Amino acid sequence: MSHRSITIVGAGIFGLWQAYTLVRAGYRVRLVEESSEPFERASSRWAGAMIAPECEAEAAPAIVRDLGREALGIWRAQYPHTINKGTLVVAQARDAADLGRFAKLTERHQAADARLIGQLEPALAHRFERGLYFEGESHLDARKAMGWLLDEIRGNGGDVRFGTSWDERADGVLIDCRGIGARNDLAALRGVRGERVLIETRDVRLARPVRLLHPRQPIYVVPQGDGRFVVGASVIEREDNGPMTLKSALDLLGSAYALHPAFGEASVLEMGAGVRPAFPDNVPRILVEEGGRVIHVNGAYRHGFLLAPVLAREVLRFLSDGRREGLLFSAA
Ligand SMILES: Cc1cc2nc3c(=O)[nH]c(=O)nc-3n(C[C@H](O)[C@H](O)[C@H](O)COP(=O)(O)OP(=O)(O)OC[C@H]3O[C@@H](n4cnc5c(N)ncnc54)[C@H](O)[C@@H]3O)c2cc1C
């Protein structure tokens, strides 16, 4: 079976992980992507790329947390630039109730008092009295990770073609990872817009993602190295990926400023919005059609980076021995 040829459509984080996993398992893999430059049209390019199964459990079903824990292990084992510094969640004193609620809905955290916050993130010393520390989480630089996966796919003999569209007549198995591009074929799929800003400053240093809770505008700031930080992200039930609105920019940048006033002097390098593909329950799915000839892997929602390695593993198991016991399989 392992010499069967596989065409994967879409070089976002789902398609890249599929191709990487299958090519390493000995399949003959062709990855096609309609944009002519890598990641130009992928919503994945905008991700903060937190691998945060515990924090995401605040708003996601338990399956996302459980599979996310497994996926975190795969990222750490396979991707050498995974940064394992955990996540710090903080709130202003007036939002203490939000912190209590977050703690109740999540696991594997420890209470952080002002002293621990200052030890973990000296830049935030004396700024927050209370927080939560999720020691076991990770993060990465989204575009760097995507570039690494692409190099690995090519290095293992995968055939990658940019500027090439989905073709129903492709030989062998077709794995559809088109994200929101598959909307016309997957009736339940919807787009959820997410916006984020990339800023740069040498005046603030953070070692790990920091989430600032707020009743209306929670944000996260993810350090990307070299003084760059991703500030994100909005969750808007809309499908356009046009430029960021002034209101979103004010909200995101205002909250970053509230986290630390020195962000006020940061340079704004890039603002952008992506459309996250989502099913009604916001859990991704593997949909098998035509007796296994066409496999749709979609519905990443806010968890594309978090969950991509487990979806790729489940598809590999299905191709190897027809196993469909994972919870992510669904009738097409
Ligand atoms: C602002 C923001 C922040 C985020 N932060 C995080 C985070 O911290 N952690 C996390 O886990 N997730 C995060 N996400 C979510 C994650 O980025 C998405 O869930 C994920 O990127 C979706 O990946 P995908 O591969 O399904 O789709 P995409 O990345 O959109 O890739 C689909 C690809 O298919 C291509 N395509 C479409 N149609 C065709 C066709 N006909 N032929 C060929 N190619 C085609 C497209 O050009 C595109 O490149 C974030 C998302 C956003 C927008």
Side-chain angles (χ1 to χ4, degrees), residues 5-6 44 72 86 98 147 162 182 215 231 244 263 267 285 293 312:
S5 78
I6 312 263
S44 303
L72 173 61
D98 289 286
F162 286 92
V231 183
M244 179 175 290
F263 280 127
S267 311
R285 289 289 184 312
R293 201 188 84 82

Side-chain angles (χ1 to χ4, degrees), residues 2 6 8 12-31 71 74-75 78-79 148-154 156 158 175 177 297 307-320:
S2 64
I6 312 263
I8 296 164
I13 195 65
F14 270 13
L16 289 165
W17 260 98
Q18 291 294 331
Y20 167 74
T21 304
L22 295 178
V23 83
R24 280 167 44 102
Y27 285 85
R28 214 166 59 233
V29 170
R30 195 164 65 113
L31 173 62
I74 304 176
W75 271 111
Q78 313 239 348
Y79 180 55
W148 183 87
L149 286 164
L150 194 57
D151 289 345
E152 288 288 312
I153 294 161
R154 287 184 165 134
N156 283 280
I175 304 181
C177 299
V297 187
L307 295 179
V310 270
L311 284 142
R313 183 196 65 194
E314 296 299 303
V315 169
L316 171 62
R317 285 180 178 167
F318 170 70
L319 291 170
S320 311

Side-chain angles (χ1 to χ4, degrees), residues 63-314:
I63 184 177
V64 169
R65 180 199 60 209
D66 296 345
L67 294 174
R69 286 174 179 168
E70 289 180 43
L72 173 61
I74 304 176
W75 271 111
R76 287 181 171 184
Q78 313 239 348
Y79 180 55
H81 308 293
T82 309
I83 302 163
N84 306 313
K85 301 260 181 178
T87 306
L88 182 63
V89 178
V90 294
Q92 306 283 6
R94 62 173 183 267
D95 300 325
D98 289 286
L99 203 58
R101 188 182 149 276
F102 201 97
K104 277 207 188 85
L105 293 169
T106 55
E107 297 173 1
R108 301 189 185 178
H109 50 69
Q110 70 181 94
D113 57 11
R115 195 183 51 87
L116 180 57
I117 292 171
Q119 268 171 15
L120 291 168
E121 298 293 356
L124 301 182
H126 313 301
R127 298 198 53 76
F128 296 93
E129 291 299 317
R130 287 179 58 204
L132 296 167
Y133 178 39
F134 293 79
E135 191 176 3
E137 295 192 326
S138 299
H139 72 285
L140 36 96
D141 176 326
R143 293 178 201 176
K144 186 169 163 188
M146 293 169 81
W148 183 87
L149 286 164
L150 194 57
D151 289 345
E152 288 288 312
I153 294 161
R154 287 184 165 134
N156 283 280
D159 172 13
V160 184
R161 299 191 192 171
F162 286 92
T164 306
S165 235
W166 153 278
D167 181 359
E168 293 281 351
R169 295 159 302 173
D171 280 347
V173 174
L174 202 57
I175 304 181
D176 169 17
C177 299
R178 288 174 295 164
I180 199 64
R183 196 165 43 358
N184 291 342
D185 295 321
L186 300 174
L189 201 66
R190 74 183 199 287
V192 182
R193 180 179 161 95
E195 295 152 310
R196 59 84 141 153
V197 187
L198 183 67
I199 59 175
E200 183 177 47
T201 175
R202 299 281 168 185
D203 296 338
V204 185
R205 281 178 195 276
L206 297 176
R208 57 186 56 77
V210 177
R211 297 185 184 224
L212 174 61
L213 301 185
H214 184 271
R216 285 183 316 285
Q217 182 60 41
I219 60 145
Y220 54 75
V221 177
V222 186
Q224 302 277 288
D226 301 327
R228 291 171 308 124
F229 301 85
V230 167
V231 183
S234 52
V235 176
I236 302 170
E237 290 289 338
R238 228 175 52 213
E239 292 204 349
D240 76 284
N241 61 354
M244 179 175 290
T245 62
L246 185 136
K247 162 120 184 25
S248 291
L250 283 174
D251 285 346
L252 290 175
L253 294 173
S255 301
Y257 185 67
L259 184 69
H260 200 301
F263 280 127
E265 299 301 321
S267 311
V268 176
L269 300 183
E270 186 185 63
M271 292 184 167
V275 177
R276 310 171 179 105
F279 289 121
D281 60 359
N282 297 331
V283 175
R285 289 289 184 312
I286 301 166
L287 303 141
V288 180
E289 283 186 322
E290 298 180 27
R293 201 188 84 82
V294 178
I295 302 170
H296 304 277
V297 187
N298 214 319
Y301 186 53
R302 286 167 51 128
H303 308 122
F305 278 78
L306 176 60
L307 295 179
V310 270
L311 284 142
R313 183 196 65 194
E314 296 299 303

